[in-house]
Amino acid sequence: MDIADLTPELLPFLGQAAYFELGMFENLAQAIRLAPDLDSKEGLSAAAGRALAKHQGLVAEIRRRGGEPSEVMAPFAPALDDFRAKTMGADWRELLLSCYLAGGLLDDFFIRLSDGLPGDVGPRVAHLLGQGAGTDVLVKHLKAAIDGDPRLGSHLALWGRRLVGDTLLVARSAIPAAVPAAGASAPGEERIEPVFTELIAAHTRRMDGLGLTA
Amino acid sequence: MDIADLTPELLPFLGQAAYFELGMFENLAQAIRLAPDLDSKEGLSAAAGRALAKHQGLVAEIRRRGGEPSEVMAPFAPALDDFRAKTMGADWRELLLSCYLAGGLLDDFFIRLSDGLPGDVGPRVAHLLGQGAGTDVLVKHLKAAIDGDPRLGSHLALWGRRLVGDTLLVARSAIPAAVPAAGASAPGEERIEPVFTELIAAHTRRMDGLGLTA
């Protein structure tokens, strides 16, 4: 299966990824605000900085191709704002889990799609998004909380299962072939399937790592 | 007058400046959330990135001296959190003006104090804090709003005058000599005065630049 067949147009791809990273940054900034102590704030600020650097790197790629970042991102704002609202969570821990799971899955996904981009932009995007996400701090706080409270573990496991559904919908929306016209067959489905299997496997490893049942 | 006489201990200085920059970052993240359009969000994200880089640079200086950043910042958290709460403003424009005026004044102030720091840390801190603050975007949005609405101009002028008072109190709290024991005279006062005169002059230039009466 050739991911290149599934690759969207370059500028829309960059616009969606850039707006997603801006949202990750906003979520992490919110996590900083809600953090219960200075040590957590401090660690989260590094993660927020990474998300912002990814956003800015993608915006630089948009500009390099003569795109106006706000225009290129705009078509993706409604769906991604809605996604953020649904996955923001009711408290600090739910928000941390969202940042970790949705950020991990969609970074993986955008890296995977970037394989099919023309010229040298694919490797540059993969390098940018593949940099350590600074999420160790999320894992540390989540593990500490879950280890100390089994009921929180099952609550967050449920939240993680809900998140992955919404997150996969965002991924799916980035692949034009995945949205066939009404009544048409979906020729891309069988080629998309293995990509999603990989994404879900990585998601399950993240859940396992936290001691949560995926 | 020798600023070195007024310089606080190194680690507390770094801790207060680092926590202030973290707060600036949080305010700018809030400004991103409140921004009315994608273009503004995009511009503000660069300013937030600058504030975060300043915070992280100061945290690196704390670690280089064996300090634990959250411990070194902690004593300043209550007063600076209170300052942020008071200067957050009631809407997006008040918040932008706070970021511009308080950020400008206290960056200037910390750079001034850094002159007296031992070794090579002073020049490094001055370089870090003196980097373009990415505040052009704040000025652009404020000017556009004020030019189109004279009543907003006089409202923001009032807000700016209130901000400067609270901001100067933060600066004053960073100078040990400025807080004499009860009943004692304040030997630092006459040496501090010229520093504050400079800070206020720069503040007035910022207000003038926006078309506001300081």
Side-chain angles (χ1 to χ4, degrees), chain B residues 42-67:
Chain B
E42 183 41 42
L44 287 167
S45 77
R50 300 291 183 96
L52 191 59
K54 290 177 183 182
H55 167 73
Q56 290 172 338
L58 291 163
V59 160
E61 293 289 345
I62 292 171
R63 284 195 210 284
R64 195 169 293 159
R65 272 148 202 89

Side-chain angles (χ1 to χ4, degrees), chain A residues 3 6-8 13 16-17 20 102-115 125 129 167-176 178 192 195-196 198-199 202 206:
Chain A
I3 190 83
L6 305 175
T7 307
F13 168 82
Q16 187 176 26
F20 171 70
L105 195 151
L106 288 173
D107 275 357
D108 282 357
F109 175 70
F110 288 127
I111 289 170
R112 194 81 173 77
L113 277 196
S114 73
D115 279 359
V125 166
L129 298 184
T167 309
L168 288 170
L169 284 177
V170 172
R172 196 155 279 255
S173 75
I175 303 179
I192 294 163
V195 176
F196 279 77
E198 275 173 40
L199 295 175
R206 277 181 212 105

